[in-house]
Amino acid sequence: MLSDKGKYASATQNRRFVWSEIVWPLILEINDVAFTLKQFQEKRNQICKEKNVTITIPSRGLVSLMQKGILLKEGEIYSIHFRLIPYMRLRANCDYATAIHEVRMK
């Protein structure tokens, strides 16, 4: 099944989905700046089942978030960019647009 969108629009859509539905809720749920691959997979499976989405979309989105610098990976631990930590501490809603803006600011 081919997408109507181009590859860049699809990548952005994947990133937005993974950030808003999986990563940020997981960060707020565990109340920590880092999460393990296992925690991500559990949350991913839960969301994929609820939203009726294949596992490939979140997998691509996670890699794309790392390429954009929003997530950093060390071994099997993923952490959010240091500029997003205040949002986590305030338990604020940090959408994808805010995250990418904060990461790109100098």
Side-chain angles (χ1 to χ4, degrees):
M1 184 169 144
L2 295 174
S3 175
D4 294 342
K5 300 176 184 176
K7 69 179 182 179
Y8 299 112
S10 294
T12 302
Q13 184 179 13
N14 292 344
R15 278 193 305 274
R16 285 181 182 275
F17 175 77
V18 171
W19 180 257
S20 65
E21 298 292 332
I22 301 172
V23 173
W24 191 247
L26 178 61
I27 292 291
L28 295 179
E29 184 179 303
I30 62 176
N31 199 27
D32 194 6
V33 297
F35 57 91
T36 65
L37 180 61
K38 185 173 172 42
Q39 289 172 317
F40 174 80
Q41 289 170 340
E42 289 170 359
K43 186 74 170 178
R44 176 199 67 194
N45 292 342
Q46 173 193 348
I47 296 299
C48 286
K49 190 176 283 187
E50 288 174 9
K51 305 277 183 182
N52 198 21
V53 176
T54 63
I55 290 177
T56 56
I57 290 172
S59 299
R60 290 178 187 152
L62 181 68
V63 171
S64 193
L65 285 171
M66 288 188 301
Q67 289 173 342
K68 289 292 184 183
I70 296 173
L71 291 179
L72 307 169
K73 181 182 178 188
E74 285 188 35
E76 289 197 12
I77 303 291
Y78 296 85
S79 60
I80 59 174
H81 191 275
F82 73 94
R83 297 195 81 142
L84 301 174
I85 294 172
Y87 290 92
M88 185 213 69
R89 289 193 180 136
L90 293 172
R91 304 194 64 73
N93 183 21
C94 181
D95 60 355
Y96 173 76
T98 304
I100 198 76
H101 177 74
E102 287 291 332
V103 169
R104 288 185 177 170
M105 280 181 28
K106 300 261 174 173

